[in-house]
Amino acid sequence: MIAAERKRFPWGAGILLLLATVAAVAAGAVISFSRNDAWYATLDKPALTPPDFVFSLVWPVLFVLMAAGALMVLERAGNFERALSPLGIYYTMLAANAFWSLAFLGMQDVALALGAIAALLLLIIAMMQDFARYSRTAALIQIPYLIWVSFATYLNLSILALNSDG
């Protein structure tokens, strides 16, 4: 009788996943720190806009939860190929997240950013559904991210409405 092969964590895929997450964090940070603060300061913002420091507290926690969920899926799947769908959505979601920063803060295009964040919301929902096929916990720990991006969508839409020329 052949002994059951012990399942090993796919370290290479896990490291690449973490590096991609760090790259998305870094891209957002570079864009955020290099943004034109004078432009952002002149925007009319809704009453529920939190102070700037809140964003720098919330985002690191959310990225840790995102990566933790993706790693849980990878571990449960056993290799990248078996988790291609949820991790493909994860990588696409990371790119959409970074693109929102570029559109809103880098390009100062609030309307384009609204489109990007709407796509991001859909990607988060799809990612959570796909994560749940592998790990319910991996999906559930994305709820704070979904809530935060929903709130950010409200902020983006409100800023667009408050600053439109029409």
Side-chain angles (χ1 to χ4, degrees), residues 20-157:
T21 304
V22 169
V25 171
V30 166
I31 293 164
S32 295
F33 291 128
S34 65
R35 76 178 190 206
N36 184 345
D37 286 325
W39 171 77
Y40 184 75
T42 64
L43 293 174
D44 291 326
K45 295 172 209 65
L48 294 179
T49 301
D52 286 347
F53 77 89
V54 171
F55 295 95
S56 60
L57 295 175
V58 170
W59 277 111
V61 172
L62 296 177
F63 273 105
V64 166
L65 292 174
M66 286 182 248
L71 288 169
M72 286 178 201
V73 167
L74 181 60
E75 188 275 330
R76 195 61 72 82
N79 65 46
F80 182 80
E81 292 77 22
R82 288 190 205 132
L84 190 58
S85 177
L87 295 183
I89 295 170
Y90 178 79
Y91 287 122
T92 306
M93 179 273 312
L94 287 176
N97 195 310
F99 181 73
W100 179 88
S101 296
L102 177 63
F104 189 90
L105 299 169
M107 300 166 64
Q108 301 174 2
D109 189 332
V110 181
L112 179 60
L114 183 60
I117 205 167
L120 180 58
L121 273 174
L122 295 175
L123 284 165
I124 294 167
I125 292 166
M127 180 184 70
M128 289 174 68
Q129 289 173 335
D130 242 11
F131 274 21
R133 293 184 317 137
Y134 294 84
S135 167
R136 181 181 166 132
T137 302
L140 291 175
I141 65 173
Q142 304 311 309
I143 291 173
Y145 182 40
L146 179 64
I147 291 169
W148 183 257
V149 173
S150 297
F151 178 64
T153 302
Y154 150 77
L155 293 173
N156 194 147
L157 180 61

